[in-house]
Amino acid sequence: MTRQWIRWMPAAAMPAVIAAAVLAGPLQASSTVDLPHRTPQQVLALMAGNTVHQLSGTVQESARLGLPQLPDLGPGSPGQRASLGPGASSGATAGGTSAAARNPLKAATITRLLGFLTGPHTVRVYLDGAGRQRVQVLDKLAERDLIHNGTTVWTYNSATNKATETTLPGPGMRNPRLHNAKMHNPKLHNPKLPRALAPGAFEQTPSALAAELVKGLDPTTQLSLGPNTKVAKRGAYELQLIPRTTKTLIGKVTIAVDAATGLPLRVTVTARGQDSAAVDIGFSTLDLAAPPASTFMFTPPPGTSVTRRTVPAPKLHPHAVGPRAHARTHAAPKVDTSGTGWAAITEAPAGTVPSDLTAAPAVARLLQPVPGGHALSTALFTVLITPGGALYAGAVPLAALEQAAAAR
Amino acid sequence: MSGESSPEGHGGGWNAPGEEPPAAAPYSAVAHGREGSAPGPVAGLPSGRPGALPDGRPAGAPTARARARTWPFLASELSVMFRRRRTWAMLAALAAVPVLIAVAVRVTGAGSGGEGPAFLDRITHNGLFVVLTALVLCTPLFLPLTVGVVSGDTLAGEAGLGTLRYLLAAPAGRARLLLVKYVGTAVFCAAATSAVLLAGTVAGLALFPSGPVPLLSGDLVDVWTAEGRIVLVGAYVFVSLLGLAAVGLFISTLTDVPVGAMAATVVLAIAAQVLDALPQLDWLHPWLFSHWWLGFADLLRQPVEWTSFGNNAVLQLGYVLVFGALAYGRFATKDVLS
């Protein structure tokens, strides 16, 4: 009888051992991290003064916005291209920076963005100074690459086997204002880089997102420090940004700032009333040594269809990032803002939204018909498209947008 | 399972480890039946089976001697497995997958970019992509199918044929029999992966040009580096199958009907992948043994992304430990009547 019992012991012990091992991880992470005491303002200054020029790291991105998880809507998704029609795809892929800036509300741009917002992604980032970057979006059985080396920017998509080479203007033609800004404030994202080349990935590094989030810091935000954390095995301060207004959908934003360098390591955005983060972008591994030079060399493999183009002159466009700002950035041409701070509503006049957008199958799946038109409701932001093609967006409930639309 | 009230010395008691086994004769007779299609008389059987000593001398069970016999025991198990026509038929079917892909692409020409399974459109440029396309096709279905058949058959097959009690009559110990059966299944996993790898490499290089191979990141590597990456991918796929093999071994201890155990194992493999595809269950995904199956693509990036290899190995190890322990608990307390 006893022997029977003993023989089942391993079967009972193994799950216990595994459970203990699994639970030990978070316990270790939550153990206190000893860092010199700083005030929130000092951490902000530390973050603003970060001088990281070289790194290689892996960024994990996850978004739980309450959207249906779409099949990957990256630029390489062939079904996507077909379903949106020729007019829709031209803006984002062939038109480059100018087209994307002029009319960013092309369906392909939106759906590509949504692809990033609805699924988890792993992105490897390599950085060596301002002029050399490589971003690898690790898809399932495929990869999208962006290689920026000096005046040449390559994109490569292994799923479609297509590459694009873009030649940027030489250093002599650089906009001096831009150049200076970059020197003084070297961030992971390069303002000179055409945004159409970097489908979301580039802007969604924790650093770029964090820089964007603290840009508009004003008294409408309660700034505090959470308990110190560890991100990618580095001790970090955790800045907490809590909106003072209750009119916004955003409940809390946290930014983990590397204690040693001031580099933002992780950004989370939590919806009001939720416990777990709706958007979580952070480094899982980080190495501050210079990546090997070969990382930034690229030759398209044989059999790749290559598109080449040249960008005439650098041009500064607003780089608002993050759920709060996506719609605003893309509506850049003739936008109007009502409300302030976190509850701001961006309004774009009638005709901004092309009529083919709401008809595109991928977009139609996300939109829900409401009395005032079509709405996209997520945990963190809401977009309302009126039948006339006007667009209202903000990190506010749908009712607030409908109110704003009715007031017009 | 033996109830708590089951009296010792009855039923399962007689073949408890350390007791005197029956004479060699009945073992050989049944073992002959067990061989099924294997050619040759009883004399051709491997004599390494514990208890099957030629003189019929009851084999004692001192630990040292018993340990010394593990290797012949395993060799015997492997020779039985690889003399079955079923094993070779499954390996041949697996090897046919890359050959069929290569021939089909050669005859019809490549599809346009991005259609069909991953890597298919690269084959015309480089024959080594035949292996990768075949692995993308085999990993979710064909490989689990064959591993399910082999692992489900391990103990249930012996029980179904009535040979299990003769295996246990030897002082080998049930734990060692389980271990030998599991190692045998693992060897089959390696053989199955190698079959796809070898057939794919040969077919790809025979029908298509070779040369520098583009990785997923777009970087080119020479043929030998690429072949090294492909061997790594093979190792990844082999490791991926170990968890399923352990699950199959456990299911095999539950029943005396081998077909039931095989079917249940294969159904579990399919069910795990279905669950893995449901975004609503994303909290469960990292715990499914099939979760990292297609992660071998991470070995084809530049530089190699080792995270998924490590995660996969840890996950499969967890499955091996849990289901190995469950199989031991079940098998060591089981009344073996057939």
Side-chain angles (χ1 to χ4, degrees):
Chain A
M1 222 186 286
T2 320
R3 273 159 70 192
Q4 305 276 318
W5 180 76
I6 285 172
R7 283 166 184 161
W8 279 103
M9 277 302 287
M14 278 307 162
V17 168
I18 288 171
V22 168
L23 290 178
L27 275 184
Q28 225 169 12
S30 69
S31 63
T32 49
V33 182
D34 280 332
L35 295 173
H37 179 77
R38 281 180 208 265
T39 65
Q41 270 67 29
Q42 284 173 325
V43 175
L44 266 185
L46 177 75
M47 186 177 126
N50 94 73
T51 51
V52 174
H53 290 280
Q54 300 171 325
L55 65 83
S56 39
T58 310
V59 178
Q60 302 285 350
E61 309 176 352
S62 77
R64 292 157 206 262
L65 296 175
L67 295 171
Q69 188 161 10
L70 299 174
D72 209 323
L73 295 171
S77 185
Q80 206 51 45
R81 195 73 57 80
S83 68
L84 289 170
S89 64
S90 63
T93 50
T97 164
S98 49
R102 241 182 286 120
N103 193 354
L105 280 171
K106 289 285 191 184
T109 315
I110 299 271
T111 48
R112 199 169 54 178
L113 200 64
L114 290 175
F116 267 97
L117 291 179
T118 53
H121 287 271
T122 304
V123 180
R124 293 199 297 198
V125 183
Y126 302 88
L127 178 75
D128 188 1
R132 299 207 292 176
Q133 292 136 337
R134 180 163 190 162
V135 178
Q136 302 179 318
V137 183
L138 310 187
D139 297 327
K140 195 172 193 182
L141 295 171
E143 184 170 318
R144 281 168 282 161
D145 272 53
L146 182 141
I147 306 105
H148 172 210
N149 193 349
T151 58
T152 310
V153 179
W154 279 99
T155 62
Y156 175 71
N157 185 335
S158 84
T160 53
N161 211 11
K162 284 187 177 139
T164 326
E165 184 189 17
T166 307
T167 308
L168 303 173
M173 292 164 67
R174 260 187 201 158
N175 183 334
R177 188 163 65 94
L178 242 170
H179 191 65
N180 285 343
K182 200 166 61 207
M183 285 294 110
H184 290 132
N185 196 7
K187 287 286 185 290
L188 266 188
H189 84 148
N190 182 350
K192 187 164 58 65
L193 209 64
R195 65 179 300 114
L197 293 176
F202 223 65
E203 292 127 347
Q204 293 190 30
T205 56
S207 313
L209 188 52
E212 205 53 50
L213 284 166
V214 298
K215 197 188 272 174
L217 264 189
D218 55 25
T220 62
T221 306
Q222 181 194 331
L223 186 67
S224 61
L225 272 186
N228 299 335
T229 58
K230 269 202 158 168
V231 179
K233 294 180 183 161
R234 301 176 69 89
Y237 297 102
E238 190 175 83
L239 271 180
Q240 294 187 337
L241 283 61
I242 299 172
R244 290 189 202 272
T245 170
T246 53
K247 288 181 191 161
T248 174
L249 292 171
I250 294 174
K252 186 170 85 170
V253 174
T254 68
I255 304 172
V257 181
D258 184 24
T261 62
L263 181 75
L265 298 176
R266 185 179 179 198
V267 174
T268 68
V269 184
T270 312
R272 179 171 297 281
Q274 299 291 313
D275 290 331
S276 59
V279 171
D280 187 340
I281 297 172
F283 283 103
S284 58
T285 65
L286 180 63
D287 180 4
L288 293 180
S294 61
T295 308
F296 307 103
M297 306 293 170
F298 185 78
T299 317
T304 310
S305 65
V306 180
T307 316
R308 287 174 213 277
R309 61 171 183 252
T310 305
V311 172
K315 183 175 162 187
L316 183 66
H317 21 235
H319 268 257
V321 189
R324 186 165 59 111
H326 274 310
R328 190 174 62 210
T329 317
H330 284 270
K334 310 163 271 189
V335 292
D336 195 8
T337 309
S338 68
T340 53
W342 297 92
I345 296 173
T346 304
E347 306 173 8
T352 311
V353 184
S355 53
D356 65 340
L357 178 72
T358 44
V363 180
R365 268 174 63 191
L366 296 172
L367 294 177
Q368 58 188 84
V370 292
H374 288 85
L376 168 69
S377 292
T378 74
L380 293 179
F381 66 99
T382 316
V383 179
L384 176 69
I385 300 168
T386 66
L391 181 134
Y392 297 85
V396 292
L398 181 61
L401 291 185
E402 283 173 333
Q403 231 168 24
R408 277 273 145 162
Chain B
M1 196 201 312
S2 170
E4 294 276 311
S5 59
S6 172
E8 286 287 325
H10 169 72
W14 64 268
N15 56 9
E19 284 190 29
E20 183 173 321
Y27 168 75
S28 303
V30 182
H32 178 46
R34 175 177 179 269
E35 287 297 301
S37 59
V42 179
L45 282 175
S47 57
R49 260 317 167 200
L53 298 177
D55 54 357
R57 168 172 55 91
T63 338
R65 260 167 84 195
R67 194 178 298 128
R69 289 217 192 86
T70 302
W71 290 111
F73 193 7
L74 180 61
S76 153
E77 172 66 27
L78 290 179
S79 96
V80 168
M81 182 199 291
F82 283 100
R83 273 193 286 156
R84 298 186 80 151
R85 274 183 210 153
R86 188 183 69 190
T87 308
W88 288 104
M90 289 194 296
L91 291 179
L94 285 170
V97 172
V99 174
L100 279 177
I101 292 172
V103 170
V105 172
R106 181 78 195 173
V107 170
T108 62
S112 59
E115 285 169 21
F119 309 121
L120 185 67
D121 53 334
R122 306 293 182 84
I123 290 175
T124 43
H125 296 291
N126 201 311
L128 286 178
F129 279 102
V130 170
V131 182
L132 299 173
T133 314
L135 282 176
V136 171
L137 285 176
C138 288
T139 304
L141 184 61
F142 297 116
L143 283 170
L145 198 67
T146 53
V147 171
V149 167
V150 171
S151 64
D153 191 50
T154 43
L155 294 162
E158 303 277 5
L161 284 171
T163 46
L164 187 54
R165 57 176 163 165
Y166 295 104
L167 285 177
L168 290 176
R174 296 185 179 201
R176 187 133 49 105
L177 177 61
L178 264 183
L179 183 69
V180 163
K181 286 289 183 186
Y182 184 72
V183 172
T185 312
V187 169
F188 176 81
C189 293
T193 314
S194 311
V196 179
L197 242 56
L198 280 178
T201 307
V202 170
L205 292 182
L207 293 178
F208 298 100
S210 66
V213 180
L215 298 173
L216 283 179
S217 311
D219 302 69
L220 285 173
V221 293
D222 63 70
V223 175
W224 290 110
T225 315
E227 197 53 58
R229 295 283 183 106
I230 287 174
V231 170
L232 272 181
V233 167
Y236 186 103
V237 173
F238 162 67
V239 170
S240 301
L241 296 172
L242 293 179
L244 179 65
V247 174
L249 183 73
F250 170 59
I251 294 176
S252 193
T253 61
L254 297 177
T255 174
D256 290 351
V257 186
V259 175
M262 295 175 196
T265 311
V266 174
V267 164
L268 268 183
I270 307 288
Q273 293 179 79
V274 170
L275 293 179
D276 206 13
L278 296 177
Q280 285 82 359
L281 297 176
D282 54 357
W283 54 270
L284 180 69
H285 292 171
W287 298 93
L288 295 170
F289 58 83
S290 63
H291 184 62
W292 298 98
W293 275 2
L294 287 178
F296 61 75
D298 283 356
L299 298 171
L300 302 171
R301 307 189 194 278
Q302 185 75 339
V304 174
E305 177 67 42
W306 289 102
T307 321
S308 53
F309 196 107
N311 287 346
N312 184 41
V314 169
L315 180 71
Q316 303 298 335
L317 178 70
Y319 267 90
V320 171
L321 290 178
V322 169
F323 282 90
L326 278 174
Y328 174 75
R330 166 66 182 155
F331 190 54
T333 57
K334 185 182 183 179
D335 273 339
V336 175
L337 300 172
S338 57

